[in-house]
Amino acid sequence: MNYAAGKLGVKEALRHGFKEMGIVRSMRALLEMNQEDGFDCPSCAWPNPEKPSSFAEYCENGAKALADEATQHKIGNEFFKKNSVQELSQLTDYQLNKFGRLTEPLVLKPGNDYYEPIDWQEAYELISEELHKLKDPNEAIFYTSGRSSNEAAYLYGMFARAFGTNNMPDCSNMCHESSGVALSETLGIGKGSVKLEDLYGAEVVIVAGQNPGTNHPRMLSALEKCKENGGKVISINPLEEAGLVNFKNPQNIKGLLGSGEQMADIHLPVRINQDIPLVKLILKKLVLLDDERKNVFDHKFISEYVDGYEALIQDLGKYEEEQLLSQCGVSLEKVEEVVQLLSEKSKIVVCWAMGLTQHKNGVENIREFVNLLLLKGAMGKPNAGTCPVRGHSNVQGDRSVGIMHYVDDALNQRVKKYLGFEAPTDEGVDTVGAIKSMHEGKAQVFICLGGNFLMAANDTEYTAQALHNCDLTVQISTKLNRSHLVTGKTALILPTFGRSEKDMKKGTLRYLTMEDSMGRVRRSHGLLKPASELIKSEPELIAELADTYFKGQHSVDWLAMADNYDLIRDSIDQVAKGFEKTIERSKGIGYYLPNNVRELDFSMLPNGKAQLTINSLPEHHLEEKEYLLMTIRSHDQFNTTVYGLDDRYRGVYNERRVLFMNPSDMKNENFQKCDVIDITSSYDGQKRTAKKFIVVPYNIPSGNLAAYFPETNILVPYNKFADKSKTPISKSVKVSLSIHTT
């Protein structure tokens, strides 16, 4: 398919909604999603415009996420009486998700194969008993997905600290941790610097390692406005994705009925993880132009705000253009076109996602693009800067309110001052460390706030064994997923509200807050009747669990916070950095958290300046008939949640076990279209195999492959990850292929 959205996108969005929610319920909810007085989309973290469309401020994926969350299908005690864990384990992730909403707390007792109901207080006491049994607080792990609210994440993080551990891995460890590390090192803050409106007036937007048509469709509207204002879009990605080929905006006549808008003015089909040689080549050519014209780089900006210029220029001189061109795999003509465009522009935004972060050199990938922006002076001014595009809807907010495995001394001091207890001072484990700790029997209790940990994590079989090794696993969830079926000796499912559901207390509709991908905090409150009277909100169940654990004897009044969310927000303002008057300022379009880059304040960095960095070329050392595989999403999924079995943008229907392969590579392997093959990765002498994938010829660079996750997460070794950030290498896995034999 050579375009994104359009009439078909509208049709698919409504089809999913009507099927899961009914017509009236669907339309009512869709019209309130992402509105000022409505609820935030439960899908990605793309920000809402200051003046949202009153007709439809959502995309196809957002509509699917809403339909998935607000489905009228429900499962409880009767369902689990009839379906054992063993039987459910034989089903696909797609089938598990389709059963519907969880409606009551459930327990899987040791030796049993059937979940059974449990009273909420009994569940709290069971967890508390297991936590009290531990010899060391670090034997417990508190994992957070990016779906929770600021209020829930804050309480969760503070409960973990009050319990005595910094073992707070989160989903950011698996995706944008590389961004946080790189941006902190170079710019002093682990977040992007741009606001949504900056994209509208940018002269150039570079979209690197990202597929907005599938992963962040509302971003295409921002790119459309950029192009309407004369801006250009450069796409850097091994795959030429439909959303950046053509976008048919369903909110205007041209998009709904016409030919749509070509998004990417230039597409650079870079080889997997060869972005650094590509950017170095562009920088080398810009250096030559700057030597001639003296105005290509912003030397005034560099002199005042940037450190490391001479060292970077000297390092670039070490590389031959031919070597860089050969390594990145992009044509010289395309590179020259980009160089000419960038030489004339200074309002540049770089957007990126997992295509840059999930490599061994993920941190360096991002630092290299920061080099480009700093040399152009494209930082700290309107329409220019960094834009890491976050996945889950509040993953950035989770980190802002304190979900982190490392120690922040200033945060700990505020915890002591305002919450009255000593926070632990030993660094905790991230996601990679958590899996290893459970696998080695060092952690006994695993509590998961949202998400599908087993299928989100890398090295699926290793992670499954890690969960099996626990005494207790707890899943705070809205729907059934595979992490409920691969458990510790005892397992709990604690059902919680969806984003779209009313949270009522004593006749008052309560709201929560989230932080979007660009640092704005705003309110969100649902309007739909909750799936069951037996489910609880995340802040309430966390607070009640904490009160049970401490037996009502703690410096924090947990139950008061469970009752009154304003008390949580007041506490966030005191303890979390940058939050201020949240109750008042989160109304309407909300407010932005402080961002030093927007103020051109680099005082926290060496010499008080932004840092240019020296980054090495990536090395993969492929053997003969080895390939680099990148894991990708289909258009019918969001993270681990599979909405359907089609990927219409890539021409795939009713199948997920698909391997996209260059036709010339297929010929060399003697593969035919639709051959069934096995994919094997081999690291440190250990082989991991994903079986029965259908080969599909595709326009992807030779030597590169692509396949959907979570089906291929089994191939990603737990102990291979990005330097500094420990983000799994899910986008550059070395593999070999063989015909599947029964």
Side-chain angles (χ1 to χ4, degrees):
M1 194 170 187
N2 59 2
Y3 70 88
K7 288 188 294 183
L8 187 53
V10 175
K11 178 183 175 182
E12 284 297 301
L14 295 179
R15 183 178 70 83
H16 276 263
F18 294 170
K19 180 180 178 181
E20 297 291 335
M21 303 166 62
I23 296 175
V24 174
R25 183 176 162 93
S26 291
M27 297 310 300
R28 183 181 174 217
L30 286 170
L31 291 172
E32 290 294 327
M33 190 158 70
N34 294 327
Q35 299 300 319
E36 283 189 16
D37 195 35
F39 61 93
D40 262 13
C41 176
S43 187
C44 78
W46 189 252
N48 300 322
E50 292 189 1
K51 295 181 180 179
S53 165
S54 59
F55 169 66
E57 192 55 59
Y58 58 85
C59 65
E60 178 185 343
N61 273 20
K64 288 177 179 177
L66 173 62
D68 187 75
E69 168 187 288
T71 178
Q72 297 188 81
H73 300 292
K74 302 174 185 179
I75 54 175
N77 179 35
E78 292 303 316
F79 172 87
F80 288 98
K81 276 184 180 179
K82 300 174 184 176
N83 296 278
S84 71
V85 169
Q86 177 62 31
E87 291 167 336
L88 292 170
S89 297
Q90 306 307 308
L91 302 179
T92 66
D93 296 278
Y94 171 65
Q95 290 170 319
L96 293 174
N97 183 63
K98 284 300 178 184
F99 284 124
R101 288 290 299 278
L102 296 159
T103 58
E104 57 187 309
L106 300 159
V107 62
L108 182 67
K109 296 178 180 178
N112 283 8
D113 199 32
Y114 290 84
Y115 275 97
E116 56 190 73
I118 185 172
D119 177 80
W120 275 102
Q121 189 57 38
E122 285 183 88
Y124 298 150
E125 289 171 358
L126 191 159
I127 299 169
S128 298
E129 181 181 345
E130 291 295 328
L131 291 175
H132 279 293
K133 282 182 185 177
L134 300 178
K135 297 176 182 178
D136 186 322
N138 291 321
E139 293 178 357
I141 292 171
F142 296 80
Y143 174 81
T144 314
S145 83
R147 188 188 65 80
S148 61
S149 63
N150 288 337
E151 289 79 3
Y154 176 76
L155 285 185
Y156 192 62
M158 293 308 145
F159 173 49
R161 289 181 175 88
F163 172 69
T165 186
N166 283 313
N167 284 351
M168 287 178 277
D170 70 331
C171 61
S172 184
N173 298 152
M174 294 183 276
C175 54
H176 267 294
E177 197 70 40
S178 295
S179 300
V181 172
L183 294 174
S184 295
E185 287 182 349
T186 57
L187 302 175
I189 187 172
K191 302 180 182 181
S193 66
V194 302
K195 299 178 181 179
L196 177 59
E197 290 70 26
D198 287 324
L199 273 74
Y200 302 164
E203 294 174 314
V204 179
V205 176
I206 298 174
V207 182
Q210 186 204 357
N211 175 17
T214 286
N215 300 336
H216 311 91
R218 285 194 299 147
M219 180 180 173
L220 296 176
S221 298
L223 296 180
E224 183 180 47
K225 290 182 180 180
C226 171
K227 292 178 67 66
E228 288 172 353
N229 292 328
K232 301 293 184 181
V233 176
I234 300 171
S235 166
I236 302 175
N237 201 316
L239 302 178
E240 187 175 35
E241 302 285 14
L244 290 172
V245 173
N246 186 279
F247 172 49
K248 294 188 176 183
N249 189 340
Q251 294 195 18
N252 59 50
I253 296 299
K254 181 180 179 182
L256 200 59
L257 302 177
S259 58
E261 179 78 36
Q262 178 184 335
M263 283 287 103
D265 297 278
I266 307 171
H267 172 64
L268 304 180
V270 66
R271 291 193 180 111
I272 288 176
N273 196 30
Q274 297 301 332
D275 301 89
I276 288 179
L278 173 61
V279 179
K280 283 188 185 294
L281 179 57
I282 292 170
L283 289 177
K284 278 183 68 71
K285 290 182 173 294
L286 288 173
V287 168
L288 292 176
L289 287 177
D290 188 65
D291 288 342
E292 294 174 7
R293 292 164 27 189
K294 307 299 181 187
N295 64 349
V296 170
F297 294 153
D298 189 335
H299 290 280
K300 183 175 184 298
F301 178 89
I302 293 168
S303 175
E304 188 171 354
Y305 296 110
V306 181
D307 197 21
Y309 177 75
E310 295 299 334
L312 178 62
I313 299 302
Q314 184 177 358
D315 182 72
L316 287 171
K318 299 176 181 178
Y319 299 97
E320 297 293 333
E321 289 190 7
E322 293 77 10
Q323 171 201 5
L324 298 174
L325 187 68
S326 174
Q327 190 163 340
C328 72
V330 177
S331 72
L332 178 60
E333 180 184 10
K334 291 283 188 181
V335 172
E336 295 283 10
E337 194 177 352
V338 169
V339 169
Q340 187 59 42
L341 178 61
L342 293 178
S343 72
E344 300 167 351
K345 308 298 182 182
S346 63
K347 296 179 180 179
I348 304 166
V349 174
V350 177
C351 304
W352 71 89
M354 306 302 92
L356 292 190
T357 66
Q358 291 181 327
H359 305 280
K360 188 177 188 301
N361 59 318
V363 171
E364 290 189 295
N365 279 338
I366 294 144
R367 296 196 319 188
E368 197 67 32
F369 279 96
V370 172
N371 285 345
L372 171 62
L373 290 171
L374 289 175
L375 290 174
K376 293 295 298 180
M379 202 76 74
K381 65 183 183 183
N383 314 120
T386 56
C387 182
V389 186
R390 307 285 178 170
H392 233 319
S393 56
N394 197 44
V395 62
Q396 189 160 293
D398 286 354
R399 183 61 57 86
S400 295
V401 299
I403 296 296
M404 62 187 80
H405 63 278
Y406 50 85
V407 179
D408 182 331
D409 291 333
L411 176 69
N412 282 5
Q413 291 172 16
R414 293 192 296 271
V415 168
K416 182 177 180 180
K417 179 178 180 180
Y418 294 109
L419 297 181
F421 67 87
E422 296 276 356
T425 55
D426 294 330
E427 183 170 311
V429 293
D430 58 9
T431 297
V432 168
I435 297 169
K436 186 171 183 286
S437 182
M438 290 187 289
H439 196 274
E440 294 176 352
K442 296 177 181 178
Q444 304 297 327
V445 175
F446 178 75
I447 304 176
C448 187
L449 180 61
N452 181 359
F453 183 80
L454 173 62
M455 302 314 293
N458 52 314
D459 212 335
T460 311
E461 291 185 0
Y462 184 90
T463 301
Q465 186 58 56
L467 292 169
H468 273 314
N469 289 348
C470 291
D471 289 333
L472 174 67
T473 51
V474 181
Q475 305 288 336
I476 301 170
S477 309
T478 57
K479 301 185 77 178
L480 184 66
N481 64 54
R482 197 161 300 280
S483 295
H484 302 133
L485 309 176
V486 179
T487 71
K489 297 177 182 65
T490 301
L492 284 169
I493 298 175
L494 304 182
T496 189
F497 285 14
R499 190 74 57 80
S500 58
E501 291 174 317
K502 284 183 180 179
D503 185 354
M504 301 290 295
K505 188 76 171 183
K506 298 177 182 177
T508 300
L509 178 61
R510 300 190 288 189
Y511 69 89
L512 298 167
T513 59
M514 288 84 192
E515 179 188 350
D516 66 31
S517 193
M518 295 177 182
R520 186 167 60 189
V521 177
R522 68 188 292 268
R523 296 184 179 190
S524 172
H525 62 76
L527 76 157
L528 301 177
K529 182 180 178 181
S532 165
E533 294 181 356
L534 295 177
I535 65 175
K536 287 182 178 286
S537 75
E538 289 177 334
E540 197 159 24
L541 74 85
I542 293 164
E544 289 174 352
L545 170 60
D547 183 73
T548 300
Y549 176 80
F550 291 111
K551 301 178 181 178
Q553 304 297 313
H554 194 255
S555 58
V556 176
D557 190 342
W558 300 99
L559 290 184
M561 290 189 175
D563 189 59
N564 183 355
Y565 296 169
D566 280 350
L567 296 178
I568 309 175
R569 287 182 276 273
D570 285 339
S571 187
I572 291 174
D573 287 348
Q574 293 174 321
V575 176
K577 185 179 179 180
F579 290 81
E580 185 180 3
K581 298 180 180 178
T582 297
I583 296 171
E584 175 186 333
R585 298 170 70 200
S586 62
K587 296 178 182 177
I589 63 172
Y591 74 99
Y592 284 98
L593 294 176
N595 189 301
N596 64 283
V597 180
R598 293 172 187 161
E599 306 301 322
L600 288 175
D601 174 16
F602 303 112
S603 58
M604 70 294 297
L605 293 168
N607 299 323
K609 293 186 175 184
Q611 302 292 299
L612 292 167
T613 53
I614 307 301
N615 303 300
S616 303
L617 297 181
E619 297 180 0
H620 292 290
H621 305 298
L622 296 175
E623 301 292 335
E624 185 179 358
K625 291 200 172 184
E626 268 194 329
Y627 301 86
L628 273 189
L629 168 76
M630 65 178 188
T631 65
I632 59 176
R633 290 182 191 170
S634 79
H635 188 61
D636 241 359
Q637 75 178 99
F638 178 71
N639 292 343
T640 60
T641 303
V642 178
Y643 303 132
L645 301 179
D646 296 341
D647 188 358
R648 68 176 191 273
Y649 288 178
R650 299 190 183 103
V652 175
Y653 296 90
N654 201 38
E655 184 56 72
R656 287 190 54 82
R657 300 186 76 83
V658 169
L659 181 72
F660 297 103
M661 191 172 186
N662 183 287
S664 65
D665 291 336
M666 289 177 59
K667 184 177 180 180
N668 291 338
E669 292 276 6
N670 292 318
F671 290 162
Q672 303 297 316
K673 180 180 179 180
C674 294
D675 274 353
V676 179
I677 56 95
D678 295 337
I679 312 170
T680 300
S681 68
S682 182
Y683 287 87
D684 302 327
Q686 182 178 351
K687 291 187 176 182
R688 298 167 174 85
T689 301
K691 296 183 177 182
K692 298 182 70 173
F693 280 72
I694 298 171
V695 178
V696 172
Y698 208 78
N699 185 15
I700 186 172
S702 179
N704 293 172
L705 305 168
Y708 303 132
F709 72 83
E711 288 83 355
T712 47
N713 285 358
I714 191 173
L715 299 168
V716 187
Y718 76 93
N719 58 352
K720 301 298 177 184
F721 39 73
D723 297 331
K724 297 185 178 182
S725 71
K726 291 190 176 180
T727 301
I729 59 165
S730 301
K731 291 290 187 289
S732 53
V733 185
K734 292 192 293 185
V735 300
S736 58
L737 309 175
S738 59
I739 291 289
H740 176 75
T741 57
T742 55

